[in-house]
Amino acid sequence: MKIQKLLKILTLITSAIALTTTSLWIGKQAYSWLPPEAAAESRLVDDLFSFLVTLGAFIFLGVTGTLMYSIIFHRAKKGEICDGPPIEGNVTLEVVWTAIPILLVFWIAGYSYQIYEQMGIQGPNHLMHLHMPMGMESAYAEPIEDKGTRRQGDKGNILDSFSASFEVASNSEPVEQIDVLAKQWAWVFHYPEKNVTSTELHLPSDRRVRLALQSEDVLHGFYVPAFRLKQDIVPNETINFEFTPIRSGKYRLTDSQYSGTYFATMQADVVVESPEDYHQWLAKAATHKPSPASNQAASEYAQVVNQSFPTGWATVAPAEPPVVNYPG
Amino acid sequence: MTNISIESIGIANEQSHHDIPDNWKRYFSFSTDHKVIGIQYLVTSFIFFLVGGIFAMVIRGELMTPESDLVDRTIYNGMFTMHGTVMLFLWTFPSLVGLANYLVPLMIGARDMAFPRLNAAAFWMVPVVGILLMASFFVPGGPAQAGWWSYPPVSLQNPTGNLINGQVIWLLAVAISGVSSIMGAVNFVTTIVKMRAPGMSFFRMPLFVWAVFSAQIIQLFGLPALTAGAVMLLLDLTVGTGFFDPANGGNPVMFQHYFWFYSHPAVYVIILPIFGIFSEIFPVYARKPLFGYKVVAVSSLLIAVVSAIVWVHHMYVSGTPGWMRMIFMLTTMLVSVPTGIKVFAWVATIWGGRMRLTTPMLFALGGLVLFVFAGIVGIMLSSVPVDVHVNNTYFVVGHFHYVLYGTVTMGMYAAIYHWFPKMTGRMYYEGLGKLHFWLAFIGTNLNFFPMHPLGLQGMLRRVASYAPDAGYEFWNIVASVGAFLLGMSTLPFILNMIGAWTIGEKAPDNPWQAIGLEWEVSSPPPVENFEEIPVVVSEPYGYGKSEPLTAKTH
Amino acid sequence: MDSYIISEDLQLHQTEHSHDEEGNKMFGFIVFLLSESVIFLSFFAGYIVYKTTTPNWLPPGVEGLEVVAPAINTAVLVASSFVIYFAERALQRHNLWGFRLYLLATMAMGSYFLFGQAVEWNSLEFSLTSGAFGGMFYLLTGFHGLHVLTGILLQLIIFVRSFIPGNYDSGHFGVNATSLFWHFVDVIWIILFVLLYVWQ
Ligand code: HEA
Ligand code: HEA
Ligand code: CUA
Ligand SMILES: [Cu+2]
């Protein structure tokens, strides 16, 4: 009898350990499912995501593992018709499985809140005319080598981020201001500093960037997967959006809020470069004469209009291709 | 054609009084019998499921390659709009209402719904909605192309300039569907509150009835908000008011609040009856009482209540201030508590049972596993920083197909197989059923799992084309192959249903040795359900306890 | 299982039909009204948000709304709620003519309200398409007006039906429901009046 009980406890402990290690391992894999981390915010989001994957894997494997065990070992034999034990409930168990999710929820919500604060996504607070000083602190550009240690994804990491959440460095770097105009279906970027316009977004790295998002017609969305950042753009509103690119390279900006027929074509390149290169580029672009950029929506539309036999339905006509200093 | 099994029960007398018009014609007539209406709902909605599925096949066909090459972009946009609309308004809602229609009066020991004629009227609006939506393909400009959310200003752009256009028809159809749902909700709530058999107290009701009750309460407080928003959108579209049109001083984000105030709770309208189905099926095939019956019952109501205060999680990036994001993040996550209670209760019900893996049980188990996966992904979505990244990507599409197909549609199949002998008096073919399950289960995962990595990589939803250099192709092809497999999986089901209904083996009254009022009447039940209204003397799910459910009065 | 059981069943059935059905109908009607009130609540919530967030709330040239005439209108509508209550009471005391007279009075007051509303609409210098304010104003008053009209039509129906002999043998559901609906319309108007005219 005693040995049986011991064995039972042993199996339980073993499976708990197996479950935990598997979940931690899966959580670590989560980083590789995501695009490169090109903004300070990306890293914060990835840590949170990895944490959620770890916890999620633990819950999923725990529940389905128990189910699988039952399915395999608690089967009725062929032709057997007797009933199982008439257990109707167990108060302790029910209290436990109500309390644990509640605690988990507060843990997840608290952690998400901290990450959110650090990201300092400057949500359009003015939209509802209700100002709340929430989420105003900035994410900061950490030195890249930090990445290696973070990726270890050991359990301490999750707990660390609890206490580490308020180590937000005040970012005294100048803020780069750029205007973003979205319309059906093109992006136009305006750099007030040199009064330059472009259809390719250039950003200095390791600088806080502030975009002023505006739309000419319908809802659009500013989304760069490598930055993990997204914000809808609402007509008649100017939405300020701040973040810090940290990794040089070429990324893609897409319209993330469905905007009609040529929605899928509304993409632009994003070039993150060192501040020196960035200013060089600005200066060079300022010397260019404005010229019409190529625009996929406009050219596809021109094709459709010239078709002798219509293959689709009527559509809103795209705006003229934007005329900019730097057509990309 | 088919005849009732007179030999199975001595209802010859009852027959002379109310004979069972067991002929197929009554399913095409204006019947007020809740069982006929229930089956009418189920069959109609399944036909629209196939229609919506064909739209999905076009979508998956287009996405096999990065370029927009299979259909024109406008057609692709019409496809996903109509796919979402048909699947939600013509498949999930009506099929669940149909099932509830069939089962609720039987389960609570009533002869019919409280308002039989209202019931029939509500049903006949469903084909009207369907015909309107299908007709919109043939108006100039084609059907609505603004997605199933119909967010303005895109939904207000009317390139043909016609007053009768796809978007207007779409709004009308949704409004009619709303009226039908409200009629149904009033009927269900009244039936459940007022028509229970003697002894059937609230805490003796089967959990399916609890779930339907909770779901219908959501309809009652949620649908009016959608109606309000739809009326305003229609006015903007037709007479040029300025509610949502920024060009006329309107605020497009307001529409989103109206829309999601209903459409979020709507997903719980859909899932709650499925939870109810799980709660019915697990005890039967695990041969154990439902674990924690009362807590599970109350958690349905709790879900209904919490569902009213989470809608902004669909609008985190819509221009929502930070404080709102944080509040709604917490409320959204709290839904996992009552939901978790249910999940754990089911697992505990199955634990240590005498499990029989029949087709309904397989579908229910599969649905449960896929639900836990989907729910956990839902919790990730509810976390604002993560959602900011994955919002409007295939990660979301993956989440909701795991619930809408993996849980809801699988759960619906479980229910259809489980109650098929009751509804038709025939047995389905177990082998075909199991084939259907495995095709559907594998197909679902092949189809919808790849959407998660795609979304994490940044692939947007509602795109007819994607960048060829972004590395999205592989997972898209897997998803499309899975989708075609999933499409094929419906064939054994259709074959099974038609074959069994026409030439299947006759079913006994209670083929599963299940406990419940619906299993105490003949298969199919007589027109008036119960010769004599039963008197309920114990809680449901008394498996292994050998106590009677009803008092024998004769 | 003999014919005795069946006749008993039939009897049970009939009493069930006649008795419970009244109760069910009233219950269902109340559920429906609760649901209906959410439409108004949604419009009210929308109005409040629009009013507090729209930069140029009133259309150019519009100063505000005239309050006196609508206030009189309000008084008439509120009073009519009491009148229909008297009608109900009269019916309960089987005073058919009293019932009809009170009912006619209610209908007259309701019609006066609609008339007053029409006059007001005619005198306004903004329209349905004058931004969010114009839209909201006409939407709220129009949607409520439709309900008043429905109420009057219901009253007309129960008025006509009161001449059918034996109409009240199976209960007063129609009258009670109409009366309840009228109170509902009344309460909605009071909130509407406060939102639109008092809170300017
Ligand atoms: C029946 C349908 C259904 C159901 C049940 C759910 C359930 C949930 N959904 Fe889902 N959802 C949809 C259908 C559904 N959803 C649809 C259709 C959309 C997209 C619409 C569109 O955009 O077109 C959507 C979109 C959607 C979004 C918006 C994403 C975006 O657009 O950016 C979010 C965000 O929070 C979300 C969250 C959730 C959560 C938290 C749950 C929870 O209810 C899940 C709770 C369940 C569990 C958590 C698992 C079981 C619990 C346990 C085992 C306990 C322990 C667990 C923990 C403590 C975590 N859903
Ligand atoms: C219950 C709801 C439900 C169900 C069951 C499904 C089922 C499926 N959905 Fe669903 N989907 C939605 C609800 C649903 N969907 C919603 C709400 C949206 C959002 C819309 C929007 O963005 O506005 C969406 C969007 C959506 C997209 C995103 C489109 C985009 O954003 O661009 C995709 C892409 O792959 C997709 C695919 C599928 C597939 C492959 C299935 C498969 O499960 C379908 C399987 C196919 C069948 C079951 C049909 C089988 C029939 C045959 C093979 C023919 C046989 C014919 C006869 C016998 C006559 N859906
Ligand atoms: Cu009608 Cu018995
Ligand atoms: Cu939701």
Side-chain angles (χ1 to χ4, degrees):
Chain A
M1 229 26 219
K2 243 192 180 152
I3 293 193
Q4 251 182 2
K5 206 167 180 186
L6 212 77
L7 262 173
K8 234 180 179 171
I9 291 174
L10 229 76
T11 354
L12 223 84
I13 291 175
T14 328
S15 34
I17 290 173
L19 195 60
T20 314
T21 23
T22 319
S23 312
L24 284 171
W25 180 79
I26 295 177
K28 237 165 67 178
Q29 300 310 302
Y31 288 98
S32 67
W33 307 337
L34 292 154
E37 295 173 330
E41 288 76 5
S42 335
R43 201 172 293 162
L44 297 167
V45 173
D46 291 4
D47 288 343
L48 177 62
F49 181 68
S50 165
F51 162 73
L52 289 175
V53 169
T54 311
L55 200 70
F58 188 85
I59 295 171
F60 180 75
L61 294 176
V63 171
T64 50
T66 318
L67 265 181
M68 284 322 280
Y69 184 89
S70 290
I71 291 174
I72 294 167
F73 295 107
H74 300 157
R75 284 268 272 286
K77 288 175 202 77
K78 238 191 158 67
E80 186 190 23
I81 46 159
C82 58
D83 287 345
I87 303 163
E88 297 196 290
N90 178 325
V91 177
T92 326
L93 205 58
E94 284 167 48
V95 169
V96 166
W97 74 40
T98 310
I100 288 181
I102 292 179
L103 292 177
L104 284 179
V105 160
F106 280 99
W107 189 13
I108 302 172
Y111 186 29
S112 302
Y113 171 67
Q114 286 172 349
I115 294 283
Y116 182 72
E117 270 209 320
Q118 290 175 60
M119 287 168 69
I121 299 171
Q122 251 210 345
N125 283 319
H126 65 283
L127 261 190
M128 304 307 275
H129 293 258
L130 282 161
H131 295 267
M132 284 277 275
M134 190 181 279
M136 285 301 179
E137 282 159 283
S138 341
Y140 57 102
E142 285 170 278
I144 299 286
E145 63 264 30
D146 202 66
K147 211 163 164 178
T149 46
R150 267 174 176 273
R151 289 228 171 186
Q152 292 314 308
D154 53 320
K155 208 168 169 207
N157 188 8
I158 294 159
L159 298 173
D160 273 349
S161 29
F162 244 121
S163 48
S165 62
F166 287 104
E167 49 167 303
V168 179
S170 64
N171 196 332
S172 50
E173 301 272 351
V175 168
E176 199 68 31
Q177 173 91 38
I178 301 170
D179 303 326
V180 176
L181 180 70
K183 55 184 168 182
Q184 282 175 321
W185 289 268
W187 294 101
V188 183
F189 310 102
H190 174 240
Y191 308 79
E193 191 186 326
K194 288 254 161 52
N195 198 20
V196 163
T197 51
S198 74
T199 50
E200 182 181 82
L201 178 59
H202 280 246
L203 299 171
S205 63
D206 302 319
R207 281 295 133 86
R208 194 82 180 151
V209 178
R210 180 184 293 153
L211 304 181
L213 307 173
Q214 283 183 309
S215 162
E216 209 166 73
D217 34 47
V218 299
L219 298 173
H220 296 278
F222 179 94
Y223 177 41
V224 181
F227 297 168
R228 315 280 189 279
L229 291 175
K230 184 180 287 127
Q231 174 60 53
D232 281 9
I233 310 176
V234 185
N236 288 353
E237 301 276 354
T238 304
I239 294 173
N240 286 320
F241 194 55
E242 280 190 17
F243 55 92
T244 313
I246 53 169
R247 187 172 173 275
S248 296
K250 201 166 186 173
Y251 308 100
R252 201 179 299 268
L253 159 69
T254 52
D255 180 4
S256 59
Q257 184 59 278
Y258 177 67
S259 58
T261 310
Y262 296 100
F263 167 62
T265 68
M266 197 165 151
Q267 309 203 351
D269 285 333
V270 180
V271 176
V272 177
E273 53 205 350
S274 68
E276 301 79 56
D277 289 351
Y278 170 72
H279 283 106
Q280 229 166 18
W281 174 81
L282 261 187
K284 211 175 89 197
T287 64
H288 287 240
K289 262 223 167 64
S291 61
S294 75
N295 182 279
Q296 198 184 340
S299 54
E300 278 191 29
Y301 182 71
Q303 246 176 15
V304 168
V305 168
N306 293 331
Q307 264 169 356
S308 51
F309 183 75
T311 53
W313 292 302
T315 170
V316 174
E320 289 295 313
V323 177
V324 292
N325 298 92
Y326 188 84
Chain B
M1 189 170 44
T2 53
N3 213 337
I4 35 94
S5 40
I6 305 170
E7 66 281 358
S8 63
I9 195 167
I11 52 161
N13 272 334
E14 180 71 358
Q15 242 203 317
S16 58
H17 170 47
H18 296 292
D19 66 342
I20 305 169
D22 197 36
N23 87 46
W24 56 272
K25 276 196 199 111
R26 71 188 166 133
Y27 293 111
F28 293 88
S29 64
F30 188 90
S31 170
T32 56
D33 180 348
H34 73 97
K35 297 184 289 303
V36 175
I37 294 174
I39 289 175
Q40 286 175 325
Y41 265 115
L42 284 169
V43 172
T44 312
S45 58
F46 187 75
I47 291 169
F48 284 112
F49 171 68
L50 293 180
V51 172
I54 290 169
F55 297 160
M57 298 295 108
V58 176
I59 294 174
R60 285 315 324 167
E62 174 66 74
L63 294 176
M64 293 268 279
T65 56
E67 299 79 25
S68 164
D69 42 14
L70 183 68
V71 292
D72 186 82
R73 289 183 191 278
T74 52
I75 293 184
Y76 182 85
N77 297 342
M79 281 296 135
F80 70 70
T81 302
M82 296 312 263
H83 165 69
T85 308
V86 166
M87 283 300 194
L88 292 173
F89 293 100
L90 289 169
W91 160 238
T92 52
F93 287 135
S95 66
L96 290 163
V97 168
L99 189 72
N101 233 302
Y102 197 96
L103 292 176
V104 166
L106 281 167
M107 284 180 160
I108 62 173
R111 290 219 155 84
D112 204 327
M113 298 281 285
F115 311 115
R117 258 175 305 166
L118 187 73
N119 200 17
F123 164 71
W124 284 101
M125 290 182 168
V126 174
V128 173
V129 173
I131 291 168
L132 271 178
L133 284 178
M134 294 308 122
S136 74
F137 275 93
F138 303 103
V139 298
Q145 291 156 46
W148 82 278
W149 312 340
S150 285
Y151 277 7
V154 169
S155 57
L156 295 175
Q157 294 185 317
N158 178 5
T160 59
N162 286 346
L163 185 62
I164 304 289
N165 58 60
Q167 193 63 48
V168 167
I169 297 178
W170 186 92
L171 278 167
L172 281 179
V174 169
I176 295 173
S177 154
V179 172
S180 159
S181 295
I182 287 288
M183 285 159 63
V186 169
N187 211 342
F188 278 117
V189 170
T190 309
T191 307
I192 294 171
V193 173
K194 305 282 280 187
M195 310 263 289
R196 279 169 289 123
M200 175 67 79
S201 61
F202 271 97
F203 279 118
R204 281 185 185 161
M205 291 196 311
L207 286 167
F208 181 74
V209 180
W210 270 96
V212 169
F213 186 61
S214 312
Q216 297 300 327
I217 288 175
I218 297 180
Q219 294 281 45
L220 289 169
F221 73 70
L223 257 173
L226 178 69
T227 312
V231 167
M232 290 157 85
L233 191 65
L234 193 65
L235 286 173
D236 272 8
L237 189 59
T238 51
V239 301
T241 47
F243 295 114
F244 307 129
D245 188 357
N248 194 5
N251 180 352
V253 178
M254 275 299 283
F255 176 80
Q256 303 180 11
H257 284 286
Y258 281 119
F259 182 81
W260 289 115
F261 182 79
Y262 172 64
S263 294
H264 172 79
V267 309
Y268 296 105
V269 174
I270 295 169
I271 203 75
L272 279 169
I274 300 294
F275 289 167
I277 291 167
F278 288 167
S279 303
E280 294 301 319
I281 286 180
F282 291 136
V284 176
Y285 298 101
R287 310 308 303 167
K288 274 180 65 197
L290 194 97
F291 197 94
Y293 163 75
K294 280 191 185 157
V295 187
V296 175
V298 172
S299 66
S300 286
L301 273 181
L302 266 179
I303 291 176
V305 172
V306 180
S307 79
I309 48 167
V310 307
W311 77 93
V312 174
H313 67 226
H314 295 274
M315 303 170 54
Y316 285 149
V317 304
S318 299
T320 307
W323 61 270
M324 229 189 214
R325 289 169 158 174
M326 293 300 119
I327 289 174
F328 283 90
M329 172 164 80
L330 184 64
T331 54
T332 301
M333 288 177 177
L334 281 176
V335 182
S336 63
V337 178
T339 316
I341 289 176
K342 290 187 176 223
V343 169
F344 296 135
W346 294 324
V347 173
T349 303
I350 290 162
W351 185 261
R354 300 273 185 283
M355 195 119 52
R356 295 189 220 155
L357 291 185
T358 56
T359 306
M361 185 64 165
L362 282 175
F363 270 102
L365 285 171
L368 175 57
V369 169
L370 298 178
F371 174 71
V372 175
F373 183 85
I376 285 165
V377 172
I379 294 298
M380 295 178 187
L381 288 171
S382 67
S383 167
V384 174
V386 174
D387 186 63
V388 166
H389 172 46
V390 294
N391 164 262
N392 279 344
T393 68
Y394 265 86
F395 196 73
V396 177
V397 180
H399 158 69
F400 70 73
H401 281 92
Y402 261 80
V403 245
L404 288 175
Y405 199 102
T407 316
V408 175
T409 305
M410 298 276 260
M412 201 59 216
Y413 282 135
I416 291 173
Y417 283 112
H418 182 65
W419 281 288
F420 183 84
K422 182 53 58 188
M423 293 177 177
T424 63
R426 305 278 179 162
M427 293 304 285
Y428 63 84
Y429 301 104
E430 197 62 60
L432 273 178
K434 291 208 165 112
L435 175 69
H436 176 206
F437 169 75
W438 286 110
L439 287 179
F441 188 77
I442 295 167
T444 304
N445 285 299
L446 268 185
N447 189 172
F448 303 122
F449 182 80
M451 294 182 173
H452 297 86
L454 281 174
L456 290 173
Q457 285 291 319
M459 178 169 165
L460 288 159
R461 62 192 287 199
R462 297 176 170 167
V463 291
S465 61
Y466 46 88
D469 57 358
Y472 299 153
E473 256 171 290
F474 172 72
W475 285 121
N476 268 303
I477 291 173
V478 176
S480 293
V481 169
F484 302 141
L485 184 66
L486 204 50
M488 296 318 293
S489 78
T490 47
L491 297 181
F493 173 72
I494 296 170
L495 196 68
N496 204 346
M497 292 297 111
I498 294 177
W501 205 338
T502 48
I503 55 170
E505 183 194 333
K506 291 231 157 60
D509 292 351
N510 189 0
W512 318 123
Q513 293 88 44
I515 296 174
L517 291 182
E518 81 270 31
W519 299 107
E520 306 203 338
V521 297
S522 62
S523 298
V527 171
E528 295 271 322
N529 296 349
F530 302 97
E531 268 174 78
E532 192 177 341
I533 297 295
V535 176
V536 180
V537 295
S538 59
E539 279 192 10
Y541 316 113
Y543 295 97
K545 292 201 298 186
S546 67
E547 63 182 23
L549 181 64
T550 55
K552 290 276 173 284
T553 45
H554 290 281
Chain C
M1 295 281 181
D2 50 23
S3 55
Y4 163 73
I5 295 176
I6 288 163
S7 64
E8 186 194 59
D9 160 52
L10 258 181
Q11 262 174 8
L12 199 114
H13 206 78
Q14 264 155 12
T15 48
E16 237 173 62
H17 272 301
S18 52
H19 248 291
D20 260 35
E21 220 154 87
E22 279 271 304
N24 289 357
K25 277 186 187 161
M26 202 59 197
F27 182 87
F29 189 68
I30 291 170
V31 170
F32 170 76
L33 277 188
L34 284 174
S35 181
E36 183 81 355
S37 65
V38 180
I39 297 195
F40 281 105
L41 280 182
S42 311
F43 285 143
F44 294 157
Y47 178 84
I48 292 168
V49 174
Y50 276 121
K51 184 162 161 41
T52 48
T53 61
T54 309
N56 303 307
W57 175 234
L58 293 178
V62 177
E63 294 291 289
L65 292 164
E66 161 68 38
V67 186
V68 179
I72 296 171
N73 236 352
T74 307
V76 172
L77 192 68
V78 172
S80 74
S81 232
F82 291 95
V83 178
I84 201 169
Y85 172 69
F86 291 139
E88 236 180 324
R89 283 269 300 269
L91 185 65
Q92 254 153 34
R93 279 191 251 105
H94 300 283
N95 173 1
L96 260 186
W97 273 107
F99 167 68
R100 287 172 192 145
L101 281 178
Y102 277 125
L103 200 58
L104 280 177
T106 314
M107 284 156 71
M109 292 164 98
S111 307
Y112 174 82
F113 175 87
L114 281 185
F115 173 74
Q117 186 110 71
V119 170
E120 192 197 355
W121 276 21
N122 256 325
S123 69
L124 293 173
E125 65 242 58
F126 59 90
S127 79
L128 186 59
T129 51
S130 310
F133 172 76
M136 264 297 161
F137 175 82
Y138 283 98
L139 180 70
L140 281 172
T141 52
F143 195 63
H144 177 264
L146 271 181
H147 280 74
V148 176
L149 188 66
T150 311
I152 295 173
L153 289 178
L154 287 176
Q155 287 156 12
L156 191 65
I157 292 171
I158 59 171
F159 177 75
V160 171
R161 293 194 58 158
S162 76
F163 290 97
I164 302 173
N167 183 47
Y168 299 113
D169 289 355
S170 58
H172 301 161
F173 164 72
V175 174
N176 296 343
T178 305
S179 166
L180 185 65
F181 185 73
W182 197 246
H183 300 318
F184 168 77
V185 166
D186 200 17
V187 170
I188 294 289
W189 177 260
I190 293 172
I191 303 173
L192 226 164
F193 182 75
V194 171
L195 281 179
L196 279 179
Y197 295 93
V198 180
W199 181 39
Q200 291 213 22

